[in-house]
Amino acid sequence: MSVTPEERRDRLRLARTDGVGPVAFGELMRRFGSASRAVQRLPELARRAGRVDPLSTPSVAQAEDEIAAGERLGARLLTLGEPGYPPLLAAADPPPPLLWVRGAAEVLSRPAVAVVGARVASAVAQRFARELSAALGGAGLLVVSGLARGVDAAAHEGALPTGTAAVLGGGVDDVYPPENAALYARIVERGAVVSESAIGRRAQARDFPRRNRIISGLSRAVVVVEAELRSGSLITARLANEQGREVFAVPGSPLDPRAKGTNDLIRQGAHLCESADDVLRVLETLPGLAERRLPLFDRAEAGDPDEGADDAVRERVAALLSPSPTPRDELVRASGGSPAQVAAALVELSLAGRAELLPGGLVSAT
């Protein structure tokens, strides 16, 4: 389905609205059928759930400025539900509402494997990541990583001849670390740089878990080459498990702290990786990827989009929430509302800052 420039702009406005995370974005699009209609209704929905302060939604001019900034970079904006959005990432729970892509966006539709690891990596680990990525690329796989120092940079370098994708925490113009500027430029020429952050945004600590979710979401498998026990690469591995991806770990010396994380992954059941053949053998045994029909969002789902605007149900749902994540099904049973009513109430509570919609159908109080 083609998306009009106005709808794409309003999808950006909706995704950038305070209180609208990926889960709420999908709920609102399904409920109203378009971002344009959803954005118009946001202030009313937030007031229903008790929000007093004005909702922070980018103006039309602000959204158009971001789009113009991206176009000046030669970047492409992909929104969930339109052609070109990576199909495997669309199957993640939840998928990012939008992506900025600089370079060849079409490479993101190729089967991919993520190769990640320590920033302060040993020379042996960097060599292994480089050679592994070259072999995976030679087998027709896209290598995905995060452009960080150490293992990430080595993985990109190894896969440059066949194509690689770098996922950033900041905007697609935020080259970090600065010493990877030349590598960044080569990736733009031979692959793709991807981010869901706004053009011009500089990465902050809270952006990296979102980046890691995209790295694993784009990939059939994640290979961790070297990682300490508290490494961010282990977060990527955990996210990969949650998304149903295969996790591989490269074993290392028990005397090296940088091997403790990977050795622990193997202890927990990750596949052992000593070469690209280990990865390819497992991928060959997996069933083919079932094509997931992208959400079209071209019309509201059957029923009245105002269903759920029931104060009593909303407040019963709010009273059932706690800081501990609660499955939606439990909220439906305990509140007495229909699934549609509870879904609508949760979005309104999220817009009011009273609930957080989490992956896996979980909800917590804020």
Side-chain angles (χ1 to χ4, degrees), residues 222 246-251 265-266 269-274 278 282 286:
V222 171
E246 299 297 317
V247 176
F248 293 79
V250 178
L265 284 175
I266 294 169
H271 301 286
L272 183 146
C273 176
E274 293 180 313
D278 292 322
V282 172
L286 298 179

Side-chain angles (χ1 to χ4, degrees), residues 350-363:
S350 175
L351 292 172
R354 299 171 63 189
E356 183 177 5
L357 309 187
L358 304 169
L362 300 175
V363 188

